[in-house]
Amino acid sequence: MNILITGASSGIGRQLALDYASDGHNVVVCGRNSEALSEVQKNHPDKITCSSFDITDKASTKEALAKVNDIDVAILCAGVCEYLDTNNFDADMFERVFRVNVFGTMNCVEAMLPQFNPSARLVIVDSLARLLPFTKAQAYGGSKAAMHYIARSLEVDLKPRGIKVQTVSPGFVKTPMTDANDFEMPMRVDVEFASQAIIKGIRKGKRDIAFPWVFSSLLKLMSIFPESLQVKLSEQMARKQSS
Ligand SMILES: NC(=O)c1ccc[n+]([C@@H]2O[C@H](COP(=O)([O-])OP(=O)(O)OC[C@H]3O[C@@H](n4cnc5c(N)ncnc54)[C@H](OP(=O)(O)O)[C@@H]3O)[C@@H](O)[C@H]2O)c1
């Protein structure tokens, strides 16, 4: 298969690229950091090619992705996380997070759709943070909830073209993104686990690939509680984090 992965210079995307290439697939790894991408490529020089661009720059994204043909699976994994400090409310932070997680991802979709194979898969990485009103996660969780909605709605409209849309909703995964967190991260898994869960889910055609199972089941259950109860539970988690 020909696989394209954004956010492949680090963390989950990097591990996915290594695992797919080890399995003999051709992988285009994307990110801004060309040095980090070259490091990934060195592991499988015959299978991995690099494409360096900033997904928030629509022109560069279009130019780079126009060169990539015959995509069977596109995994849009590039993302950023920032938390809100309500004592120092920063509206620009919302813009920074949404610019990458939502608008950047949409730049990739626009650039790639014309080159997709008729039975291609579009895989959008959101987060289990989309499910509940977590403390300080207004921008990040909001951007991921938006991405999940967009993906489901794209699923409806791309189906007639044969394109299958799948979402990935990870819990905590140990990557440079979560290494920056200073709070307890329950049931955090490593990138190897995350990558295998995603690869298996894509292969099986799962609509939403959520993991780890216990954590995602708990959060999915809590997400159907009344909103007042969801807020109470989040308040408890916030108190635990700050104590
Ligand atoms: N780790 C977790 O616990 C967790 C949980 C749920 C969901 N996720 C989601 O999983 C995805 C991967 O996260 P990760 O933990 O692997 O994070 P990570 O190690 O920080 O990787 C983020 C990737 O996104 C790329 N990226 C960021 N901004 C970009 C931009 N403007 N243009 C192009 N690429 C950009 C980075 O590449 P460059 O720096 O080279 O541009 C990097 O490869 C994200 O969407 C994240 O929200 C992660």
Side-chain angles (χ1 to χ4, degrees), residues 7 9-10 12 32-33 54-55 77 79 126 140 144 171 173 175 178:
S9 57
S10 169
I12 299 170
R32 290 165 302 178
N33 184 337
D54 183 333
I55 63 169
C77 189
D126 53 67
Y140 181 70
K144 294 300 188 175
V173 183
T175 67
T178 52

Side-chain angles (χ1 to χ4, degrees), residues 107-236:
N107 286 340
C108 298
V109 174
E110 178 180 323
M112 264 178 330
L113 273 185
Q115 286 106 270
F116 263 171
N117 280 339
S119 59
R121 282 158 193 241
L122 173 61
V123 182
I124 291 178
V125 179
D126 53 67
S127 166
L128 288 176
R130 69 182 167 80
L131 289 171
L132 288 171
F134 289 112
T135 175
K136 299 186 175 62
Q138 292 83 356
Y140 181 70
S143 73
K144 294 300 188 175
M147 280 318 303
H148 193 80
Y149 182 94
I150 292 168
R152 287 284 84 86
S153 167
L154 278 175
E155 183 180 356
V156 174
D157 292 317
L158 293 180
K159 199 173 183 179
R161 291 175 55 176
I163 297 169
K164 185 172 175 64
V165 179
Q166 293 173 274
T167 47
V168 177
S169 302
F172 292 112
V173 183
K174 184 171 171 25
T175 67
M177 184 182 278
T178 52
D179 284 344
N181 293 344
D182 59 0
F183 53 85
E184 197 191 323
M185 288 170 273
M187 298 183 220
R188 185 159 73 148
V189 298
D190 56 29
V191 279
E192 289 81 3
F193 179 97
S195 171
Q196 287 308 312
I198 295 168
I199 289 172
K200 193 171 157 198
I202 292 174
R203 190 176 56 238
K204 287 185 159 180
K206 284 180 82 171
R207 292 177 58 250
D208 185 40
I209 303 159
F211 62 87
W213 185 80
V214 175
F215 191 58
S216 64
S217 304
L218 269 174
L219 293 190
K220 282 186 176 179
L221 175 67
M222 284 157 76
S223 74
I224 56 170
F225 289 174
E227 284 188 346
S228 56
L229 187 52
Q230 292 180 26
V231 169
K232 275 206 166 62
L233 288 165
S234 283
E235 282 169 357
Q236 270 182 18

Side-chain angles (χ1 to χ4, degrees), residues 75-86:
I75 307 176
L76 305 184
C77 189
V80 292
C81 179
E82 288 190 58
Y83 293 111
L84 185 69
D85 174 3
T86 39

